[in-house]
Each structure stands twice: as structure tokens, then as C-alpha cells.
Amino acid sequence: MDTTEGKKRLFIYIIFLSLLIIPLLIRLGSIMLFPSERLHTDPATQPAIERGPILDRNGKILAIQTKLKSVSAWIPYLDNTEETARILADVLGMSEKHILNLLTGTTRKYVFIKRKVTPTESEKIAEIKSQGKLRGINLDEEFARSYPQSRLACHIIGYVDIDNNGLDGVELAFDEELSPKMSDSGIDIVYGNQLFLTVDINIQFLVTQIAREVYAENDADAVMILVMNAKTGEILSSVSIPDFNPNDFTRYSDAERTNRPLFASYEPGSVFKIFTISSLLEAGAITTVEEFTCNGVYEGAGEPINCLGIHGRITAAGIIKYSCNVGAAFASEHIGERRFHDQLKRFGFGDKTGISLPGETTGIFHDVEDWSGRSKPAIAFGQEISVSAIQMAAAATALTNDGTILKPLIVKKIVSPEGKLIKEYNREPVRTAVSPATARTMLAMMEEATAGNGTARGARVEGVRIAAKTGTAEAYDPVSHSISTTHFIPSILGIFPADDPQCIVYIVIDHPKGEHYFGSRIAAPVLKKIIEQIIPVLNLPTDDNTIVRHSGNVELSVPPIIEIGSLMPDLTGTPKRLLLSLYSNSRITLHIRGEGYVVKQNPPPGTPVGPDTTIILELE
């Protein structure tokens, strides 16, 4: 081979090889000398997960996933650490010393400064970076949880942590359904399932407003109200006041975040008599015509049991109507302790209801071995037993379902991101507590309590047959280890319509400090107000109206896509969820303040919109 020809071929080979290797060497040198601001993001071993939405029974959004920016730092790329800390502290409202410590007090190359900042904060940082400052500081896009209804149904929905892991409520109970864990690295993003609750947000709103009024007017420690579908056990509304905003749950105390209808345990007082009398009738221990003598005090248990009045000769119906403690105590003499205990257990007392929410209490219902001589007559009128509000509402389903207890339901269905039904939660009978005859008899007795001078007369609503029972319990004082003489818990349980039960309402007012504290005085009017307001929502008939039947076919309009062209549109009344798409409009700078619906905008409608227009929307 010619030597010159061989050298020529070698030269061509070296050039070809250089063309392949040199770009790789340049890239390697660039990585080593000028670390990219994106190198902190390791190759994805798991796909991103977009947490599924939570909706009410009619599809109203209660929780939804949005995207926010997080501020991070790639330490090797920082220029002036002190100046960076000062600028970030001013924009993020953080301590300059704390940020400086994050940037200098670690051996890690990548650190978060602040997770999921507001759009205003991220826009400000982006603006400063465009000026050539904040080298090494990045804005990383992350999923964030948003609760557009703010406090509404907060204890049911719950909340998530900074990494979108459920911490309470259905967010915790259905964490895996909302945020499925998948490790297929070939998928960029995994979409969580949609969770439809049994809650009707319209009823929830009305009941919450009433609960807030009761809480304020009576200077109460707390208010609990449950509204349940009497035929299915579905929770239509669950309110616990005080409450919190899950969008910023860390600002609130444990007491504000506590779901009291499930967690709080208290003596139920005279409302419990409906389960006492039902148990005695079911056991055959008493009859509806049997009479008991009330002279104002019962002395058959060592310590006297007092009554609010002297009722004379009284039947079981009278015990319910006039809330006679002495009559209930005398009636309890006709049944043995074990039989009485076991019959009440059939109503679910002393056990969890099994509702799909975390934190449920069993209450306190001691076995007969731990009873004193006073226990049986005391339990008969609601003392020496502790219950939860959800237990009381669940027990009442026996009266509306021919004696059968239903499991309380809070989730209606789970639907895939594609709209396919994954699971539906239907009416779930638990056990038979009493016979249909006993259930109907008790409803009739409770309806009498709203008639004449019955204790529940304050709950009467014109044109609606209501069955109700009031109660006023004396709370236990943990300091003196005795029954308090100042801390009362008025309550009422209502069922309507009495002749065909559709709805159960249970109201508890903890420690009212106003002029009145009896359930008949302050709880019964609350029941009246709730029934009056939710009957139109439930489309229930009354004696003075007519229900118009509908084919059931409804045409739903598609929510409009919000667009901003050359002129500023009128966005008043637009919900926040429809505004989020505007962040992708590069022509404008958008600031959204608050939650809910637009109440104020700048610039006003009709204003010309140019490339540098800043739009500020205030929501409530």
C-alpha cells in the first residue's frame, strides 16, 4: 500500500472520529464547568402523579389539583449568596438568616427554599431572574392541592401535606384512590381517580351558615349538625364549628381541625330516651299503654334522679313527649341489665359506625360488670353513656328503615380519569335493631313531641310532619371529676316527613353561654330553620305545595373557556377554577387574589389589552 495513501486514510479517519468525539467532550466540559440549572432534577424513576379531584354528589368541585412553582437553589451555580438571600427574603416573606442558612449550611447541591409559592411570588422571582440576578435559583413546577370552596365541608374533605399526601378526611381515607402509586417510568404522568361524595354542597352551605349563627348567638364552644338521607344513610351535610381553611390548614389549631361529629364523645341527654323506650318496647318489657308515676324525683338508685316537672301518671309516649327522666327511670326497672345493655348495643352504641373517615370514636358504653346501682336508670335518660354525633344519626336509621341500622356513607362513587365507574357505594344494612312495628311506634311518639306543649314544639314547620326529640345533657367536668353545673349540651334529633322519612337531622350545641341552654329552647328552633331551608333543595312535598314531576333529562351547558382578546372581558362572578387557564396566556401578567368567585377586577371591562397588560382579579 502506498504510504502517502495510508496517511491520507488515517487523516480522514481521525477527522471523522474527532467529529464524533469533540461534541461529546464539549458537552462534558460544559457540564463540569458550567453546571446546568436543571441538573438537580434526577432522571424520573416514577411518573408525576396528578391527584384526582373531590366532588360533591352533583359534581361540584371541592378539591382539585393545580400547578404552582417551588423555589429551589442549585448551590454550585450561586453567584452572591448574601445578595441572593436578601432578595429572596424580601420576595418570599421569609427570614434572610434562615435562607442564608439553607444556602450555606448544607453539603447538598440542591435545596428547596420555599415549596409551592403563590403566583405573585413566582412572577416576581421570574422578573428578577430576567434582569440577570438570582443565578442558581430555579422555579420548579409542582402539583398543588386547591380547595375552591374554602372552609365548606373542610372536615369531610380533609387536607394534604406539601407532597400531596393525604393527612385527614377523605384525602387520607382515599389517598391511594386519589393518588395511585405507580412505578412505570415509561409514563410521564399518572392521573388519580375522581371521588364523588354523598354531600350536597348546597345543603352543606345552608347548614353551615345556620351553624355559624348558632355558634355566635349562643357563644358556644362548638356546634355539630348532621343531615342524613334517611333511606340510604348518605351524609348530605356534616358541619363542625369552629372550622378551618384547608388551603392553609397549618394556621389552625387542633381544635379547629377536629371533625367533632366523629371524634367528640359526650353524654347525649334526653335524646337517648328514644333508644331506651324503643329497646324496652322491643324486649316486651313495657307496653305502649303501661303507665308510670312521676312525682318529680326517682329515688330507686341511691342518688336521687330529678325531673324537670311533675308529670303524674305517664305512658311511654308521654316520656318522649315531655322528656320525663323519672318515667324513663321507672320504665328501666322492667328490664334486666344484660338485656337492656345488649338491646342498646344493637343500635350501635359502644362501636364505630364504620363510616369511611379517619378518627371515629367508639364512645363509652361500659359492660354491665362495670355498672353501678344507678347506671341502668341513668342510662335510660342519657347519662353514664357517651356517644358521638355520627353514632346517634346512624342509630336513628333504624327508625326510618323498619328497624334496620344502616352504615353511614360519605363517598358515593369512584370514577376513573376517563369517566369509567370503578366503585359505587350503595345503601348498606348493618343489622336489625328493632322490629318494623317498634320503629313506627317510636316515630309516632316523636311526632307527638312536636305537638301541643311537647318539648320539641319549637321545631314545628307548617305543612310538614316532623318527628323529633330534644335533649339537655350536663357535661362531665374533668377538673372536679363530677357533673358540671354550668356546662350543658343541648341537642335535638329530627326526622321528616314523619309518615315517610326522607331526612334525619341531628344538632348538638356544646356549652352555650347565653340566656338559655335547654334543647327545647335553643336546639328546636335550629331544626325548624334547617328543615324550612332544605325542603326546597330536596324537593320534598309539604301540605301546601305540589311537586312537579320531571322526565329526568337535563341539558347541561359546557363551562365557557375564558379567553382575553384585545378588550378586557367582564369576569365578575367567574369561579377560580375557570380562571386558572389564563396563566398560560403569555400576553398578560395575571394576579389572582383570594378564593371563590371574582368580585373585583382591574382593568375594568372594555379596557384595551396589550402585550404588557397586568390583570388583577380579587375573589371571595
Side-chain angles (χ1 to χ4, degrees):
M1 178 184 294
D2 186 87
T3 305
T4 304
E5 183 68 21
K7 289 181 178 179
K8 183 178 179 181
R9 288 184 178 182
L10 179 62
F11 179 72
I12 293 173
Y13 175 75
I14 292 172
I15 291 176
F16 177 74
L17 191 62
S18 298
L19 291 174
L20 294 176
I21 295 176
I22 289 174
L24 296 177
L25 293 175
I26 292 173
R27 176 59 179 159
L28 179 61
S30 173
I31 291 173
M32 295 176 65
L33 298 174
F34 307 102
S36 169
E37 297 186 23
R38 290 290 180 182
L39 285 181
H40 62 269
T41 54
D42 296 325
T45 57
Q46 290 188 345
I49 298 175
E50 181 171 333
R51 194 174 182 86
I54 300 174
L55 310 101
D56 86 331
R57 65 187 299 113
N58 300 311
K60 184 78 171 180
I61 294 175
L62 305 177
I64 193 170
Q65 204 77 337
T66 58
K67 289 183 178 180
L68 291 176
K69 300 293 180 64
S70 288
V71 182
S72 65
W74 182 244
I75 305 296
Y77 210 47
L78 293 177
D79 264 350
N80 188 324
T81 307
E82 289 76 12
E83 182 185 13
T84 297
R86 178 182 57 77
I87 294 173
L88 290 177
D90 182 56
V91 175
L92 301 177
M94 297 174 64
S95 162
E96 182 178 340
K97 182 179 179 181
H98 175 66
I99 295 177
L100 193 60
N101 183 58
L102 288 174
L103 299 177
T104 60
T106 179
T107 58
R108 292 183 298 159
K109 295 183 178 181
Y110 170 73
V111 294
F112 273 118
I113 305 300
K114 186 176 181 180
R115 301 281 298 275
K116 299 175 183 177
V117 300
T118 66
T120 302
E121 291 171 333
S122 63
E123 289 165 8
K124 184 64 176 176
I125 288 176
E127 180 185 346
I128 296 173
K129 282 178 65 65
S130 68
Q131 299 169 2
K133 301 177 182 179
L134 295 181
R135 188 169 181 268
I137 299 300
N138 305 302
L139 290 170
D140 302 325
E141 195 170 72
E142 289 193 276
F143 286 121
R145 202 61 162 165
S146 175
Y147 302 95
Q149 301 297 330
S150 187
R151 296 171 180 258
L152 208 59
C154 58
H155 296 99
I156 300 170
I157 300 167
Y159 44 88
V160 299
D161 65 12
I162 194 69
D163 294 311
N164 280 335
N165 299 306
L167 294 181
D168 204 358
V170 294
E171 290 277 32
L172 172 59
F174 291 84
D175 190 45
E176 293 186 3
E177 287 79 6
L178 290 165
S179 185
K181 307 298 185 287
M182 297 181 67
S183 57
D184 186 353
S185 58
I187 301 175
D188 292 330
I189 186 169
V190 174
Y191 296 95
N193 298 312
Q194 305 172 71
L195 199 68
F196 285 79
L197 304 185
T198 61
V199 173
D200 186 317
I201 205 64
N202 297 311
I203 295 177
Q204 181 76 16
F205 175 78
L206 293 171
V207 174
T208 300
Q209 293 299 103
I210 293 172
R212 292 197 196 286
E213 293 171 5
V214 173
Y215 178 72
E217 290 171 1
N218 294 279
D219 190 20
D221 285 357
V223 174
M224 297 179 279
I225 303 178
L226 286 171
V227 180
M228 178 185 283
N229 184 311
K231 300 295 188 185
T232 65
E234 294 177 333
I235 302 295
L236 301 176
S237 172
S238 177
V239 177
S240 179
I241 304 292
D243 55 8
F244 68 100
N245 185 343
N247 289 296
D248 194 12
F249 70 91
T250 56
R251 291 178 48 205
Y252 298 85
S253 66
D254 289 342
E256 291 168 313
R257 297 199 303 261
T258 296
N259 189 356
R260 286 178 183 78
L262 270 69
F263 182 82
S265 181
Y266 56 93
E267 290 190 348
S270 291
V271 173
F272 197 76
K273 288 170 185 164
I274 62 179
F275 305 113
T276 292
I277 299 301
S278 294
S279 296
L280 296 176
L281 290 171
E282 184 66 19
I286 64 172
T287 66
T288 56
V289 297
E290 192 166 354
E291 293 184 333
F292 310 94
T293 302
C294 170
N295 61 3
V297 63
Y298 175 82
E299 297 181 312
E303 183 180 340
I305 292 173
N306 297 312
C307 207
L308 294 176
I310 298 175
H311 300 111
R313 302 289 292 175
I314 193 169
T315 63
I319 292 173
I320 298 299
K321 181 172 184 175
Y322 302 111
S323 199
C324 180
N325 293 345
V326 172
F330 274 118
S332 72
E333 292 182 350
H334 293 242
I335 193 171
E337 290 181 341
R338 174 56 61 186
R339 184 74 184 277
F340 188 40
H341 173 277
D342 292 350
Q343 183 58 48
L344 289 174
K345 286 286 287 185
R346 297 199 64 78
F347 280 103
F349 299 113
D351 298 308
K352 295 181 180 181
T353 66
I355 188 172
S356 300
L357 285 172
E360 184 181 7
T361 181
T362 61
I364 302 173
F365 187 23
H366 295 297
D367 197 69
V368 293
E369 283 80 4
D370 298 317
W371 286 13
S372 68
R374 188 180 186 275
S375 294
K376 187 172 61 168
I379 291 171
F381 65 91
Q383 287 186 358
E384 291 197 28
I385 181 171
S386 289
V387 302
S388 68
I390 193 65
Q391 280 180 328
M392 292 290 282
T397 61
L399 308 181
T400 61
N401 289 272
D402 288 332
T404 299
I405 296 282
L406 302 182
K407 178 181 176 179
L409 300 178
I410 196 64
V411 173
K412 191 170 182 64
K413 59 183 176 181
I414 301 174
V415 178
S416 74
E418 300 77 25
K420 180 181 178 181
L421 180 65
I422 295 176
K423 184 174 182 179
E424 191 167 16
Y425 294 82
N426 298 310
R427 179 180 184 272
E428 188 174 335
V430 177
R431 76 181 73 84
T432 299
V434 293
S435 67
T438 298
R440 288 192 292 269
T441 298
M442 180 47 60
L443 282 176
M445 291 181 179
M446 292 171 66
E447 188 173 4
E448 275 298 305
T450 65
N453 57 349
T455 58
R457 62 188 179 275
R460 282 200 295 260
V461 175
E462 192 67 31
V464 184
R465 293 178 59 181
I466 301 168
K469 179 70 191 80
T470 60
T472 307
E474 299 165 306
Y476 178 78
D477 185 350
V479 177
S480 64
H481 301 289
S482 61
I483 297 298
S484 174
T485 58
T486 58
H487 186 163
F488 298 95
I489 306 176
S491 61
I492 188 168
L493 191 147
I495 297 171
F496 67 95
D499 54 332
D500 183 22
Q502 299 296 319
C503 209
I504 297 168
V505 180
Y506 183 50
I507 302 162
V508 182
I509 306 169
D510 185 12
H511 199 189
K513 305 173 194 68
E515 182 181 356
H516 302 293
Y517 57 84
F518 286 111
S520 58
R521 296 297 298 269
I522 65 173
V526 178
L527 176 60
K528 172 186 173 73
K529 184 180 292 187
I530 289 175
I531 294 175
E532 288 175 335
Q533 293 206 21
I534 69 175
I535 273 184
V537 180
L538 294 172
N539 203 27
L540 295 178
T542 62
D543 290 348
D544 55 356
N545 73 7
T546 303
I547 297 299
V548 178
R549 299 300 174 188
H550 191 274
S551 65
N553 296 319
V554 180
E555 293 186 6
L556 299 177
S557 59
V558 177
I561 297 175
I562 305 299
E563 294 181 347
I564 295 180
S566 58
L567 295 178
M568 183 66 190
D570 186 356
L571 298 178
T572 304
T574 304
K576 185 175 183 179
R577 62 187 177 86
L578 296 182
L579 300 170
L580 299 179
S581 62
L582 293 178
Y583 279 117
S584 63
N585 189 334
S586 59
R587 295 177 58 252
I588 62 172
T589 300
L590 179 66
H591 299 281
I592 298 178
R593 299 170 180 171
E595 302 287 338
Y597 301 83
V598 177
V599 295
K600 187 177 180 181
Q601 68 176 66
N602 186 35
T607 304
V609 176
D612 300 321
T613 300
T614 297
I615 297 174
I616 300 174
L617 302 177
E618 296 185 13
L619 281 61
E620 287 185 2

